[in-house]
Amino acid sequence: MLRNLTALRQITQRTISTASQRQFENKVPEKQKLFQEDNGIPIHLKGRLSDALLYRATMILTLGETAYTIYELVKASFPKKQD
């Protein structure tokens, strides 16, 4: 049991210490320029194609669910007749 805990401690220390040595390129200034330029595009669509697709999918799902909710409310408003 003690051997397992010691091995686990060594593994976690190695993972934490090696993660800080990775270098990443800072892309924040590029993104700031992209989102701050005045080109008439709404902020939620200034990203790439994925932003536009995500926006359209969200709008389609929202409209579809709204229509389905209205349909269910109308259906519930007029109960079936008992024979």
Side-chain angles (χ1 to χ4, degrees), residues 1 12 17 24 40 49 51 54 58 60 69 75-76 78 83:
M1 174 93 175
T12 57
S17 65
F24 293 105
L49 178 65
D51 285 346
L54 184 62
T58 303
I60 289 170
T69 302
K75 190 169 87 171
F78 299 106
D83 288 331

Side-chain angles (χ1 to χ4, degrees), residues 4 7-9 15 17-18 23 33 38 40 45-47 56 59 62-63 70 75 79 81-82:
N4 291 339
L8 181 62
R9 189 186 69 182
T15 334
S17 65
T18 57
Q23 297 285 328
K33 287 179 186 176
D38 188 20
L45 296 176
K46 281 194 175 185
R56 288 184 182 132
M59 291 307 292
T62 302
L63 292 174
I70 292 172
K75 190 169 87 171
K81 295 181 180 179
Q82 299 289 331

Side-chain angles (χ1 to χ4, degrees), residues 6-24:
T6 307
L8 181 62
R9 189 186 69 182
Q10 288 176 350
I11 290 171
T12 57
Q13 286 177 348
R14 282 189 208 136
T15 334
I16 292 171
S17 65
T18 57
S20 64
Q21 294 174 357
R22 295 182 188 150
Q23 297 285 328
F24 293 105

Side-chain angles (χ1 to χ4, degrees), residues 4 25 39-40 44 79:
N4 291 339
E25 180 184 352
N39 55 4
H44 57 276

Side-chain angles (χ1 to χ4, degrees), residues 31-74:
K31 293 291 185 181
Q32 285 177 340
K33 287 179 186 176
L34 175 70
F35 284 100
Q36 288 178 353
E37 70 182 37
D38 188 20
N39 55 4
I41 299 175
I43 190 72
H44 57 276
L45 296 176
K46 281 194 175 185
R48 307 258 183 229
L49 178 65
S50 61
D51 285 346
L53 291 176
L54 184 62
Y55 175 74
R56 288 184 182 132
T58 303
M59 291 307 292
I60 289 170
L61 287 172
T62 302
L63 292 174
E65 289 298 320
T66 302
Y68 181 70
T69 302
I70 292 172
Y71 167 74
E72 287 294 327
L73 285 172
V74 169

